[in-house]
Amino acid sequence: MKHLILLSAVPGSGKSTWANEYARTHENVFIVASDEIRVRITGEAQNFDHEAEVWATYLAEINRYAEEYEDVTVIADSTNLKNDFRLFYFKNTPNFDKHSLVVFNIPLEICLLQNRMRSHSRIVPEDAVRSMYAMFEKPNDEVMDLYDEVIFVGKSYHSDKVQVD
């Protein structure tokens, strides 16, 4: 089975930690992280000069794993704060048999603290974290209906499709 797990949360919420733990405890898992692609392209995680190339590479790498492997899980590690992004990645990854959305509902104060604990080159400016936190959208009905499962990490939401991690 080809399984895509799309992560959704602000910086400092624990997305990469969750992805790494999942990969450590499951087989055939690949993590495609926008920050890592940005480092490969620009040399820095916080250099946003080549975003079109970063995002084209991100999507291409996600889909490449589905083309190369019959049994694979790909974790797409980026913020995906808005429903438009969640819909985009669902619709543009048609070779996956299963699509999961993992939404992190972590208090802003914890995100800010964890962000400050990152290595210096990975710290996101606090005002940017606050801005992203303010623009975060809960998954809407269309997103909830498309994804095979939705997992909320942190505070629980109530839906028959929801699992709480």
Side-chain angles (χ1 to χ4, degrees), residues 1-67:
M1 177 172 57
K2 300 173 185 187
H3 181 194
L4 176 65
I5 300 174
L6 184 74
L7 304 184
S8 177
V10 300
S13 61
K15 293 182 306 295
S16 297
T17 301
W18 187 96
N20 288 322
E21 178 63 18
Y22 188 97
R24 189 181 68 71
T25 59
H26 294 79
E27 295 183 10
N28 302 323
V29 177
F30 296 93
I31 300 170
V32 179
S34 58
D35 284 348
E36 297 307 317
I37 293 168
R38 199 172 286 110
V39 168
R40 283 196 323 243
I41 292 172
T42 71
E44 299 174 22
Q46 298 301 313
N47 181 334
F48 300 98
D49 291 341
H50 299 276
E51 286 301 277
E53 184 181 358
V54 167
W55 294 110
T57 302
Y58 179 77
L59 182 59
E61 285 188 17
I62 291 168
N63 281 313
R64 180 174 54 84
Y65 288 115
E67 293 167 6

Side-chain angles (χ1 to χ4, degrees), residues 3-159:
H3 181 194
L4 176 65
I5 300 174
L6 184 74
L7 304 184
S8 177
V10 300
S13 61
K15 293 182 306 295
S16 297
T17 301
W18 187 96
N20 288 322
E21 178 63 18
Y22 188 97
R24 189 181 68 71
T25 59
H26 294 79
E27 295 183 10
N28 302 323
V29 177
F30 296 93
I31 300 170
V32 179
S34 58
D35 284 348
E36 297 307 317
I37 293 168
R38 199 172 286 110
V39 168
R40 283 196 323 243
I41 292 172
T42 71
E44 299 174 22
Q46 298 301 313
N47 181 334
F48 300 98
D49 291 341
H50 299 276
E51 286 301 277
E53 184 181 358
V54 167
W55 294 110
T57 302
Y58 179 77
L59 182 59
E61 285 188 17
I62 291 168
N63 281 313
R64 180 174 54 84
Y65 288 115
E67 293 167 6
E68 291 181 8
Y69 296 92
E70 286 301 315
D71 184 28
V72 67
T73 297
V74 177
I75 300 175
D77 182 358
S78 64
T79 57
N80 299 301
L81 300 174
K82 296 189 165 274
N83 288 309
D84 287 347
F85 295 125
R86 299 167 190 145
L87 294 170
F88 174 85
Y89 287 109
F90 181 90
K91 292 175 182 175
N92 287 283
T93 55
N95 293 327
F96 286 90
D97 304 308
K98 181 178 181 181
H99 287 79
S100 298
L101 176 64
V102 178
V103 180
F104 292 73
N105 186 23
I106 308 299
L108 176 61
E109 297 75 27
I110 292 173
C111 295
L112 293 170
L113 174 64
Q114 292 179 158
N115 180 55
R116 288 191 297 268
M117 294 168 54
R118 293 174 165 182
S119 65
H120 180 71
S121 64
R122 302 285 176 152
I123 294 174
V124 177
E126 188 172 303
D127 60 333
V129 175
R130 288 181 184 280
S131 176
M132 286 186 256
Y133 197 87
M135 78 169 126
F136 175 84
E137 295 176 350
K138 290 181 184 178
N140 62 19
D141 290 342
E142 183 179 10
V143 168
M144 294 291 285
D145 288 343
L146 283 177
Y147 279 83
D148 298 299
E149 73 178 339
V150 179
I151 300 168
F152 289 90
V153 177
K155 295 179 182 177
S156 64
Y157 288 67
H158 302 286
S159 168

